[in-house]
Amino acid sequence: MYKYLLMFLLLISPVEAAFYGPYTLIAPVAVDGDTIRADVAIWPELTVDAAIRVAGVDTPELRASIPCEYQLAIKAKEFTDAWIQAQAPLMIGAVKPDKYAGRYDAVVTGKNGTSLAKALIDAGHGRSYSGGARLGWCP
């Protein structure tokens, strides 16, 4: 089975392979405010463990050395944890490889197409982000 899947993936042109999805997330957990780890159902009876960076939003970093940003990061992670529980089952779409190996950027949605990125921004735990330099979180 894997041989045929690999052959199929090799035949897809780069333009067609730019974005993938939608996929269902199995047992998602928040790594931080804008990253989720989950098993992703990519094929019948085939799942992949993946780190998923929520596209369109930036949240404070848990690895921050500034206490203010670290406290904001904890709140963002707690918000994402609660959102995951309230919005299950989650889906991802517009999936593409992230700049960091082993991680993927994706639009994350919950019930009725609710966007995690929008929820984080609306709740004040994140800000719109489309790449490039990140701004600081504390004065």
Side-chain angles (χ1 to χ4, degrees):
M1 179 171 121
Y2 297 112
K3 174 175 67 173
Y4 297 112
L5 178 60
L6 179 60
M7 287 181 357
F8 173 75
L9 292 175
L10 291 174
L11 293 174
I12 299 174
S13 73
V15 172
E16 294 172 284
F19 293 100
Y20 302 92
Y23 301 109
T24 301
L25 298 185
I26 302 166
V29 295
V31 173
D32 62 19
D34 57 17
T35 306
I36 295 172
R37 180 148 222 115
D39 286 336
V40 182
I42 62 169
W43 201 258
E45 299 182 31
L46 180 60
T47 61
V48 175
D49 175 46
I52 300 141
R53 170 83 172 58
V54 181
V57 68
D58 179 45
T59 63
E61 298 296 327
L62 283 171
R63 65 178 185 263
S65 58
I66 300 169
C68 167
E69 183 172 351
Y70 178 74
Q71 291 302 316
L72 292 172
I74 289 172
K75 290 178 183 177
K77 181 183 183 298
E78 289 171 348
F79 179 89
T80 298
D81 275 328
W83 189 91
I84 287 169
Q85 296 305 312
Q87 293 294 322
L90 304 186
M91 300 289 291
I92 57 172
V95 181
K96 65 179 185 172
D98 186 66
K99 65 182 178 181
Y100 297 108
R103 190 169 81 168
Y104 299 89
D105 293 335
V107 173
V108 179
T109 55
K111 292 178 186 173
N112 302 318
T114 305
S115 164
L116 175 54
K118 183 176 181 334
L120 281 160
I121 293 166
D122 289 350
H125 296 294
R127 58 180 160 226
S128 182
Y129 181 73
S130 59
R134 296 175 62 244
L135 301 173
W137 286 94
C138 301

